[in-house]
Amino acid sequence: AAAFVAATLSCASHAQDFAGETIVFGGDLAYPPFEWLDGDEPVGFDIDLEDAIAATGGANPIHRLTNWPDAVRALESGDIDVLAMFRSEQREQSFLFTPPFHFVNHGIYARTEVENVTSLDELTGSRIAIEELSHAHQQLEADQFPAEFVLATNTLTALEAVAGGEAHYAVLAAPTSNYLI
């Protein structure tokens, strides 16, 4: 489940406290239909939602979209205030979350000539493209999943790793992967 996360955010319940303030929203530069850059302009579902949250309290939104690992690091360092991400027990140790606002599934992606799989267990020993610091990456690493990870900076580069033969499979958020494919 995706939720907004930030150490300073309680916009939903205290939006009036942000009147005239600037809220810096971070995000992934290649994560359609949720967020991406159209030229230099941030667009997508999350961008629209973030603008609406900021407008509710009279705050000024700034959107900084970058590669996913850099967005997570920017949240950790305080360079951004808010980031939409999947909620997990591991992440709850570092960040405060709002209630989830939409639910997204992950999928397993491969080239058509690669053997079809129906479960993660069948990926044992494979090369798996995965977005660095993504929910899937952190979960598979925490589970010590026996595979070689090909770390990508975003969903598109993970899919390109599969298409280019650098990885057998990719484990990625389904809506964005389907959109990009």
Side-chain angles (χ1 to χ4, degrees), residues 24 64 72-81:
V24 181
R64 292 190 187 149
V72 173
R73 290 182 189 108
L75 181 64
E76 290 171 335
S77 70
D79 290 337
I80 62 172
D81 300 312

Side-chain angles (χ1 to χ4, degrees), residues 3 19 49 70 169:
L49 186 58
D70 294 332
Y169 302 95

Side-chain angles (χ1 to χ4, degrees), residues 108-117 123 127-129 158-172 181:
I108 299 170
Y109 295 86
R111 293 168 48 134
T112 55
E113 67 272 9
V114 173
E115 182 180 338
N116 191 30
V117 297
L123 300 183
R127 281 190 326 271
I128 301 171
L159 291 169
E160 289 171 342
V162 172
E166 296 172 55
H168 302 115
Y169 302 95
V171 177
L172 301 164
I181 290 170

Side-chain angles (χ1 to χ4, degrees), residues 31-36 41-51:
Y31 200 66
F34 303 107
E35 55 199 19
W36 74 98
E41 186 71 24
V43 294
F45 173 81
D46 287 354
I47 302 302
D48 293 342
L49 186 58
E50 292 163 359
D51 286 344

